[in-house]
Amino acid sequence: MTEQLELYDVTIIGGGPAGMYATFYSGMRDMKTKLIEARDKLGGRMLFYPEKMIWDVGGVTPTLCENLIRQLEEQARTFDPDIVFGQQIQKMDRQEDGTMILTSSTGERHWTRTVIMAIGYGIYKTAKLELEGADRYEVTNLHYTVQELEPFRGKHVLISGGGDSAVDWANELEPVAKSVTVVHRRDKFGGLERNVLRMKQSSVRLRTPYAVEKLYSRNGESIEQVTITHLETGDSDILDVDAIIVNHGMKSDFGQILEWGLDMGEWHANVSEKLETNLPGVFAAGDFVTYGSKLHLIAGTFTDAALAVNSAKLYMDPAADKVAYVSSHNSRFKEKNKALGVVE
């Protein structure tokens, strides 16, 4: 079986920020690398908010999420890794020599010495607005993500939900829309404290603890009014709307990976400080993992990725350096620096 497959030093499952940075860093460590992504593009969960401004990545001035995705992908491709799209890994079979064969939902197989799992919360599916007939308005003015701000200019926008994306969308749309109303089932909002405070101090109208209960349309094509109901008193209000944005979170699916025997909590794999799982040769990084000082930020996921790659390298070769040489001293960048016109 293995004779028909090409052997890789590391196979990274998942093309979000953890997977992309792990792909780059494994190149710094001169590892033969393959990245496998279930979707048809890289970005992971970041693909759901391309218009959000990212402020909290070290050394990166405020940038649109879609730009950060593009830069991370460009960086990931630095050392020409093999990148495979459209394959959700399901099975892992360990061979007699300790290598592993990964099998995807399409039946394709991948042979590897080590694995880094950067699968976040699995395959994401947007949690829909569970009201009768809601799906008919998805082609007009019911939205589950914000791709561009301009279509909402001058409109009355209602946001249902109170997670970090709902808060971010409210802040981004507040200077663009005619009005923004956030309807949330709880008084507490998700997201960074600074962003929540900004929303509360703006013209955004907050209706808590309320939920959207009914949609109205005279023309049958777009939503024109909604009923919102107070969850404690049962009192209802009818609001005029031009657009509704729903942020009720994500439903996720890890598929058959949960059958591998990983030490899992409810949502996360338990790993060591070296990002080791309980399975030999299998490491993990990013939102998929938890450990004592885990930081669930994009910035934190880069450290996870580097630690996982270093552990994979040492698993293959215990005599290897514990970390990669920094880029200013790493020989893998010598020719690339020359191409950039850098004289060393």
Side-chain angles (χ1 to χ4, degrees):
M1 180 183 293
T2 56
E3 290 78 7
Q4 303 171 9
L5 302 174
E6 189 173 359
L7 180 61
Y8 286 78
D9 293 327
V10 60
T11 297
I12 299 159
I13 307 173
M20 285 189 280
Y21 193 74
T23 300
F24 165 72
Y25 196 83
S26 64
M28 289 182 65
R29 302 235 55 181
D30 199 21
M31 299 167 74
K32 186 174 182 178
T33 306
K34 177 181 284 187
L35 171 62
I36 302 176
E37 166 55 43
R39 298 182 184 85
D40 60 358
K41 61 179 68 174
L42 300 178
R45 189 176 180 182
M46 297 168 69
L47 293 169
F48 288 95
Y49 44 89
E51 287 292 323
K52 283 176 60 174
M53 293 297 294
I54 305 297
W55 288 75
D56 55 353
V57 175
V60 178
T61 54
T63 186
L64 287 174
C65 187
E66 63 183 356
N67 292 337
L68 185 58
I69 294 172
R70 176 179 51 77
Q71 291 169 246
L72 283 168
E73 179 172 355
E74 183 178 345
Q75 184 183 49
R77 293 181 181 274
T78 300
F79 299 104
D80 300 317
D82 285 328
I83 300 179
V84 177
F85 293 103
Q87 294 191 38
Q88 183 180 12
I89 296 300
Q90 300 284 16
K91 293 178 58 181
M92 180 186 72
D93 296 302
R94 194 175 298 276
Q95 308 302 293
E96 291 183 2
D97 60 0
T99 61
M100 292 159 277
I101 292 180
L102 305 174
T103 304
S104 77
S105 55
T106 64
E108 295 189 52
R109 296 174 297 126
H110 308 271
W111 189 22
T112 187
R113 292 188 171 93
T114 64
V115 173
I116 295 178
M117 303 182 70
I119 60 176
Y121 294 94
I123 300 299
Y124 293 108
K125 295 181 181 178
T126 303
K128 296 295 187 77
L129 183 64
E130 295 182 355
L131 293 178
E132 184 178 356
D135 55 344
R136 78 179 68 165
Y137 303 114
E138 292 179 15
V139 296
T140 54
N141 64 340
L142 177 61
H143 310 272
Y144 289 98
T145 187
V146 176
Q147 299 291 335
E148 299 178 30
L149 300 178
E150 196 58 31
F152 300 95
R153 183 171 296 279
K155 294 184 177 181
H156 295 290
V157 179
L158 183 146
I159 299 174
S160 178
D164 55 351
S165 291
V167 172
D168 290 340
W169 289 338
N171 286 331
E172 295 295 328
L173 288 168
E174 189 264 346
V176 175
K178 188 169 185 178
S179 70
V180 177
T181 302
V182 177
V183 177
H184 186 35
R185 301 179 68 89
R186 293 178 291 277
D187 294 324
K188 183 176 176 59
F189 290 88
L192 297 175
E193 295 172 355
R194 184 183 185 91
N195 293 341
V196 174
L197 181 62
R198 175 186 167 192
M199 178 183 70
K200 290 182 176 181
Q201 292 178 340
S202 73
S203 66
V204 174
R205 303 166 185 170
L206 304 180
R207 303 297 300 270
T208 63
Y210 277 85
V212 177
E213 292 290 336
K214 195 169 183 180
L215 311 175
Y216 300 93
S217 173
R218 287 187 292 270
N219 59 20
E221 296 179 0
S222 58
I223 303 164
E224 297 166 51
Q225 292 181 321
V226 301
T227 295
I228 63 172
T229 301
H230 195 283
L231 298 180
E232 296 174 358
T233 67
D235 295 336
S236 296
D237 288 329
I238 294 179
L239 306 179
D240 293 327
V241 298
D242 297 312
I244 296 180
I245 301 169
V246 177
N247 173 232
H248 291 178
M250 302 286 177
K251 296 179 179 179
S252 62
D253 177 17
F254 290 115
Q256 295 179 28
I257 281 176
L258 295 183
E259 300 173 9
W260 291 10
L262 287 164
D263 178 12
M264 292 283 299
E266 183 177 3
W267 292 106
H268 307 287
N270 297 310
V271 296
S272 72
E273 62 180 10
K274 297 179 181 180
L275 282 296
E276 304 159 310
T277 72
N278 60 307
L279 303 180
V282 180
F283 308 88
D287 282 339
F288 181 56
V289 308
T290 187
Y291 52 90
S293 57
K294 171 62 183 173
L295 183 64
H296 283 279
L297 289 175
I298 294 175
T301 209
F302 299 150
T303 298
D304 283 359
L307 288 171
V309 169
N310 287 333
S311 293
K313 180 75 173 183
L314 290 168
Y315 177 83
M316 293 190 306
D317 180 9
D321 293 324
K322 292 184 178 180
V323 299
Y325 286 111
V326 296
S327 59
S328 58
H329 293 81
N330 193 310
S331 61
R332 300 222 72 192
F333 291 97
K334 188 172 182 178
E335 292 303 318
K336 295 182 182 298
N337 286 338
K338 287 182 180 180
L340 294 172
V342 176
V343 178
E344 298 182 351

